[in-house]
Amino acid sequence: MADTNLPTFAEELDDLAKEYNDMRELHKKYKEKLEEVRTMQRKCTAMVGHQKKKYKQIAEDLQREGSKLSGEEKAKSNELKKLIDERKKTCGEVYDTLPRSNSFLLNTIMGPISVSILNKTDRFAYKEEYERFKLYLSIIMLVGATINTLFIKNRICDACYHFLLVWYYCTLVVRESILRHNGSRIKGWWVVHHYLSVLLTAILLIWPDSVSYRMFRNQFMIFSLYLSVVQLIQYYYQSGCLYRLRALGEKSDMYITVEGFQNWMWRGLTFLLPFLFVAYTWQFYNAYTLYHLSKHPDCNEWMVPVSSAIFLSLFLGNSITTSGVIVNKFRAKQQRSSASVKNKGS
């Protein structure tokens, strides 16, 4: 009878027996704790909702009573309002650590699965991964636009590039929805911007290889190449902002695009802004070119005027939103400088 390794296997299983039993016991405790945490989350969510509702009601009642109060009563009312604001802020901090219902878009795309990120470290990690995703795709799009502009002029290759753009912007919509769900302060326009970009790139994908397409193709490819370069510059600006925010311990805020910057962000932003406004001006030029193409006798595609309207909308929305943010931040910076001068003077 041949020798076998069965005794050795039996000994290894015996050695693993204690660890196996410990694992099962630990897993049992883990499931109990997990259910306990879920119960606590539900209770906290209900309590926070009740607290916020009552504070809102009390604040409205105090506002209505304001005209009836005497001097001492107004002082007391102001103290109560301050207390309400502090407690509402605390409720907001508690709410940020609890799972919440998905938005309609996220429910439609992902179903009822929770996408809440319950701690700040993981939120920053997700934001950093989001920025890296944009970096990698920007490099790929830069390479694709360069090849299509300088080396290959084929509609099939163009369609592959346009499909990449559609997928990229669709993914950005989903990821930004998750970021907003977890407290990221993204201005509404930037969300609309990516919806319009999805629509625009989808139109470019289905645009037939016609006279109008060939007349606009090179201009768009060069524009895409430049836009990829701008996105790379934006990445380094954003990654610098995230690094400083983490270093300063300001992990409660998640900054995207040019919204939400602070004093120390101005140096990088002044370098970025000219590139952004050149891109916005180019969007207007694309809209202008497409508008004139729509009047061309050989142009019969509906894609031309629709694309022109989208490019014009992107130009207006980007320019107005970015300009408004810069003006507001510049005024805030001047107010802080004035306040600092007054404090030194006093």
Side-chain angles (χ1 to χ4, degrees):
M1 183 173 175
D3 292 337
T4 66
N5 291 323
L6 286 179
T8 304
F9 298 152
E11 288 178 8
E12 290 182 0
L13 288 174
D14 288 340
D15 293 339
L16 288 171
K18 184 178 183 304
E19 183 180 349
Y20 173 76
N21 292 329
D22 290 344
M23 179 199 68
R24 292 190 62 185
E25 187 64 28
L26 183 60
H27 182 247
K28 181 180 177 181
K29 292 179 180 178
Y30 166 75
K31 289 195 295 183
E32 291 172 355
K33 293 292 183 182
L34 192 60
E35 187 58 37
E36 184 180 345
V37 167
R38 288 170 179 165
T39 302
M40 293 173 67
Q41 286 176 339
R42 288 192 290 268
K43 289 182 179 178
C44 281
T45 300
M47 293 172 70
V48 167
H50 180 259
Q51 290 272 314
K52 291 171 71 175
K53 181 179 178 181
K54 294 299 292 184
Y55 291 142
K56 181 180 179 182
Q57 180 182 336
I58 295 171
E60 291 174 350
D61 293 340
L62 285 172
Q63 188 69 27
R64 283 194 295 268
E65 294 289 325
S67 59
K68 306 176 185 177
L69 302 178
S70 63
E72 293 183 359
E73 290 175 329
K74 284 185 178 180
K76 179 63 176 177
S77 175
N78 289 334
E79 290 180 6
L80 293 175
K81 289 179 181 179
K82 185 177 179 181
L83 179 61
I84 289 172
D85 289 339
E86 291 175 355
R87 291 188 178 181
K88 286 171 69 176
K89 182 179 179 181
T90 302
C91 286
E93 293 172 354
V94 173
Y95 183 75
D96 284 342
T97 64
L98 297 170
R100 58 196 70 92
S101 300
N102 293 345
S103 64
F104 174 77
L105 174 65
L106 287 174
N107 264 335
T108 302
I109 296 172
M110 307 182 69
I113 185 173
S114 176
V115 294
S116 298
I117 305 173
L118 303 183
N119 67 77
K120 294 176 182 178
T121 302
D122 289 344
R123 290 178 187 175
F124 253 70
Y126 185 79
K127 175 63 174 69
E128 289 171 340
E129 196 281 329
Y130 166 82
E131 293 295 338
R132 284 194 297 272
F133 168 78
K134 292 199 295 183
L135 170 66
Y136 299 149
L137 266 294
S138 295
I139 294 172
I140 292 172
M141 289 187 292
L142 176 62
V143 173
T146 302
I147 292 173
N148 284 344
T149 302
L150 301 178
F151 304 106
I152 300 176
K153 296 186 178 181
N154 182 280
R155 186 65 183 91
I156 296 177
C157 293
D158 290 357
C160 292
Y161 182 75
H162 296 322
F163 179 80
L164 175 65
L165 293 179
V166 173
W167 177 81
Y168 170 68
Y169 284 112
C170 285
T171 306
L172 284 190
V173 167
V174 176
R175 291 187 179 224
E176 285 186 353
S177 297
I178 294 174
L179 286 170
R180 295 187 75 192
H181 180 79
N182 287 283
S184 182
R185 299 183 301 170
I186 306 174
K187 279 187 175 293
W189 163 250
W190 304 118
V191 179
V192 174
H193 172 276
H194 287 134
Y195 280 109
L196 290 174
S197 297
V198 170
L199 179 59
L200 176 62
T201 52
I203 289 173
L204 291 168
L205 177 61
I206 64 174
W207 195 338
D209 189 13
S210 59
V211 173
S212 59
Y213 177 83
R214 289 192 291 272
M215 292 177 70
F216 181 65
R217 176 197 181 276
N218 286 345
Q219 181 174 321
F220 176 78
M221 286 299 174
I222 297 172
F223 168 72
S224 297
L225 195 156
Y226 176 78
L227 197 60
S228 298
V229 173
V230 175
Q231 288 172 343
L232 291 176
I233 297 172
Q234 275 186 302
Y235 166 77
Y236 286 106
Y237 170 73
Q238 285 296 323
S239 61
C241 291
L242 283 171
Y243 176 79
R244 289 207 179 190
L245 288 171
R246 185 185 288 277
L248 292 171
E250 299 179 14
K251 298 183 181 181
S252 60
D253 296 315
M254 302 169 74
Y255 298 88
I256 292 184
T257 66
V258 296
E259 192 268 334
F261 55 85
Q262 300 181 359
N263 282 339
W264 47 264
M265 300 181 186
W266 274 98
R267 183 171 58 184
L269 187 67
T270 52
F271 176 76
L272 172 63
L273 283 176
F275 292 94
L276 288 177
F277 279 103
V278 169
Y280 301 161
T281 305
W282 205 327
Q283 288 171 338
F284 176 76
Y285 178 61
N286 287 340
Y288 175 80
T289 301
L290 288 166
Y291 172 74
H292 279 276
L293 276 179
S294 66
K295 299 181 179 299
H296 194 279
D298 295 328
C299 173
N300 302 311
E301 296 82 19
W302 59 268
M303 294 85 168
V304 180
V306 173
S307 298
S308 175
I310 295 174
F311 269 119
L312 182 61
S313 300
L314 291 174
F315 160 73
L316 292 174
N318 288 337
S319 301
I320 293 171
T321 303
T322 304
S323 299
V325 169
I326 293 169
V327 169
N328 290 337
K329 295 300 179 181
F330 186 73
R331 286 176 180 171
K333 182 182 178 183
Q334 285 185 322
Q335 290 173 357
R336 286 193 294 268
S337 299
S338 300
S340 177
V341 170
K342 289 181 181 178
N343 291 335
K344 289 181 180 178
S346 60

